[in-house]
Amino acid sequence: MTNLLELYVKLGGLVLVGFILGRKLPVTVPTHLGQFLFWVGVPISIVSFLRQSSLSGQIWIAPAIAYLAIVLGAFLAWLGIKGQAYFKNTVPQQSTQTSLILAAMLGNTGYLGFPITLAMVGKEYFAWALFYDLLGSFPGTYALGVLLAASFGGGVQNHWQTTARAMLINPALWSFGFGLLVREATIPTVVEFCLEKFAWCSVALSLVLIGMRLGLLKSWRSLPQAGMSLGIKMLLVPLILGSILPLIGLTGPIAKIIVLQMAMPPAFGTLVIAETFNLDRDLAVTALAAGAIVLLVTLPVWLWLF
């Protein structure tokens, strides 16, 4: 409980700082901060935390579970849309349906998932969160998510080129590979110290960035529809898949990390995709903002259950 309260103070404080700054500073500041974290902060953090993480033999299960969570979320959202059409005799527009599915299948396992798993589980098993995000959530967002959006949305043609470019230029994946190569290398103590401090500063800045982006979100009118996606993404999927983790030998801190990653709110990538492919942007915005608030309630539930 003490760790959870400490986490809430740190998370809430940093996000609140970002929220206030996002309302006061020019709109270009979050963009520049995001670019710095994308190209510098996150890659260096990955290298640093990989050096302090334990890589067990089962770690490749993490991205497999990520893909399973993505597919299950999409399937449940599709069932929800069909059920709504059957019982209420209302069918959302195609762009809204696609945004509903994206919000239910893609989670913020990086900028939000990383600091939460680090705070609640520690650095020893952090590699599981990295494998889940970089080899699971990230390809799921920029491959399956883009494919789905391009199939039912509009705006950008040649989506395969867009997907390939987004994945190939992502420095997080390159630093992930580099971090695995130099994980056992001996470096000076002062360099190790500076790497770790820089990594934690990047984690803090990522939370500030989330607050900045939330400060720029103004739409709540799609909350009833977004509620369905949030219920699937943050409740049903982690509950269903989390209950089978012991059956495949995942318990303790590892199971906690996997469940926390599955239970993260919708990713900011859903908003990027919605804007790129002319989907329901209001729904994407509402799901992001509401999901961040819902996490404050669901987080202690998952920590208690697992």
Side-chain angles (χ1 to χ4, degrees):
M1 180 61 70
T2 302
N3 288 342
L4 184 60
L5 291 176
E6 183 180 351
L7 173 65
Y8 274 17
V9 171
K10 291 179 179 178
L11 282 178
L14 290 169
V15 172
L16 179 60
V17 168
F19 184 88
I20 296 172
L21 292 176
R23 292 294 183 94
K24 301 294 185 181
L25 297 177
V27 294
T28 56
V29 173
T31 301
H32 293 318
L33 178 57
Q35 290 174 345
F36 169 77
L37 289 172
F38 181 79
W39 292 105
V40 181
V42 171
I44 293 179
S45 300
I46 288 171
V47 174
S48 175
F49 289 131
L50 266 179
R51 294 181 57 84
Q52 305 169 57
S53 301
S54 172
L55 302 182
S56 69
Q58 288 183 302
I59 200 167
W60 291 101
I61 295 177
I65 296 175
Y67 292 128
L68 187 59
I70 289 172
V71 172
L72 179 59
F75 175 69
L76 292 176
W78 177 80
L79 284 182
I81 293 170
K82 295 301 181 182
Q84 185 182 43
Y86 180 80
F87 291 106
K88 295 185 177 181
N89 199 28
T90 58
V91 180
Q93 294 182 350
Q94 189 65 62
S95 61
T96 299
Q97 293 184 38
T98 307
S99 291
L100 283 169
I101 294 174
L102 289 175
M105 62 187 276
L106 305 176
N108 192 343
T109 54
Y111 286 121
L112 194 54
F114 286 173
I116 288 178
T117 53
L118 281 167
M120 301 312 301
V121 185
K123 296 177 287 188
E124 182 179 356
Y125 298 100
F126 182 63
W128 282 80
L130 284 174
F131 273 67
Y132 188 103
D133 177 72
L134 293 175
L135 299 183
S137 295
F138 177 73
T141 300
Y142 289 101
L144 296 177
V146 169
L147 176 62
L148 180 67
S151 299
F152 298 103
V156 174
Q157 303 298 321
N158 301 321
H159 57 272
W160 286 116
Q161 290 90 327
T162 303
T163 301
R165 182 177 182 273
M167 297 183 69
L168 289 176
I169 68 171
N170 188 279
L173 285 180
W174 290 96
S175 67
F176 179 68
F178 178 75
L180 291 176
L181 289 176
V182 303
R183 186 170 169 272
E184 303 296 337
T186 302
I187 62 176
T189 304
V190 64
V191 176
E192 189 86 60
F193 175 82
C194 291
L195 273 176
E196 182 176 2
K197 295 305 178 183
F198 183 88
W200 282 109
C201 288
S202 297
V203 169
L205 285 175
S206 70
L207 293 171
V208 172
L209 177 62
I210 288 174
M212 285 183 170
R213 287 177 170 170
L214 289 178
L216 298 176
L217 303 181
K218 300 179 176 64
S219 173
W220 291 94
R221 65 181 182 181
S222 300
L223 187 58
Q225 289 179 310
M228 182 187 77
S229 294
L230 294 179
I232 293 170
K233 175 69 189 68
M234 303 180 70
L235 294 176
L236 289 181
V237 170
L239 182 62
I240 294 171
L241 297 184
S243 64
I244 69 173
L245 292 181
L247 302 179
I248 57 177
L250 299 182
T251 58
I254 293 175
K256 186 183 292 186
I257 285 179
I258 296 296
V259 170
L260 288 176
Q261 288 290 70
M262 287 191 291
M264 286 298 107
F268 277 103
T270 59
L271 178 56
V272 175
I273 293 174
E275 291 176 336
T276 303
F277 292 94
N278 295 328
L279 303 178
D280 192 331
R281 185 184 184 277
D282 286 344
L283 177 61
V285 167
T286 304
L288 292 180
I293 297 172
V294 170
L295 181 65
L296 298 176
V297 179
T298 58
L299 183 57
V301 174
W302 298 122
L303 292 174
W304 176 69
L305 286 176
F306 296 92

